[in-house]
Amino acid sequence: MTRTFKIRNIILPLFGFSLTAVSQNVDQFALIGNKVPAVRMHLLEIPQAPKLDTVYLPMIKGDRQAFSASNKMDSKDELNAELEKMRAKYTPFMQNYAPASENTRAKLNLKKFQWRQETAADKSNFGALVNGEGNWDEVKIPHFGEP
């Protein structure tokens, strides 16, 4: 009996189970998630930063390296002209070259349907309702009547 007691006390806590928790309807997954993660910390490796060479960017002034700001636009016409130039530049990339896909889904377009309000007789004899008995009105979609 002492041997089973020892095994139970060692094995079950390793997997996050305890007999008291099982008998008290405690969430076993919450127990596992809330455990201190020190059980397997020795298996983790802390990543080291790679050793990189020091790179210095040259500070040479020249036409190729210099930044030049574009002209400031002062009117709506200038903005529209620049937008047209950009549209013309990017038009080849905006073309739709995908082939037309074949529509394989069957559709049933509903335009009108039969409708009526529920009655006390419907509650007692649901089969008659399913068979279409009673006074039905034909309505068009969309229909915003009461249920």
Side-chain angles (χ1 to χ4, degrees):
M1 174 144 185
T2 57
R3 182 180 181 121
T4 1
F5 178 74
K6 288 180 183 177
I7 292 173
R8 221 177 1 194
N9 286 346
I10 293 170
I11 300 294
L12 291 177
L14 284 177
F15 294 106
F17 297 106
S18 68
L19 293 179
T20 57
V22 172
S23 63
Q24 295 174 0
N25 293 330
V26 176
D27 185 2
Q28 295 298 320
F29 294 107
L31 288 176
I32 294 169
N34 291 330
K35 279 180 59 176
V36 177
V39 178
R40 297 186 300 170
M41 288 297 287
H42 68 282
L43 299 174
L44 297 178
E45 295 179 11
I46 298 174
Q48 301 296 323
K51 301 291 184 198
L52 300 175
D53 296 334
T54 304
V55 177
Y56 295 101
L57 298 176
M59 295 179 54
I60 303 169
K61 186 172 183 174
D63 291 340
R64 290 178 42 196
Q65 288 83 12
F67 169 76
S68 60
S70 59
N71 296 334
K72 185 176 179 181
M73 292 180 224
D74 295 323
S75 69
K76 187 175 182 179
D77 293 334
E78 287 178 322
L79 174 64
N80 288 336
E82 187 64 29
L83 286 173
E84 284 301 319
K85 284 189 347 189
M86 295 296 284
R87 285 186 189 110
K89 179 180 177 180
Y90 289 106
T91 296
F93 303 103
M94 302 297 286
Q95 299 299 318
N96 184 7
Y97 294 110
S101 62
E102 180 183 339
N103 189 3
T104 58
R105 181 175 288 189
K107 291 183 181 179
L108 176 62
N109 292 325
L110 298 175
K111 303 285 184 199
K112 54 187 176 178
F113 61 95
Q114 299 282 317
W115 174 86
R116 74 182 186 119
Q117 290 182 336
E118 182 182 47
T119 62
D122 295 336
K123 293 179 183 177
S124 63
N125 187 6
F126 186 73
L129 177 71
V130 173
N131 290 332
E133 297 176 15
N135 297 327
W136 293 85
D137 297 327
E138 188 170 293
V139 294
K140 293 182 182 178
I141 295 176
H143 174 66
F144 299 106
E146 52 189 288

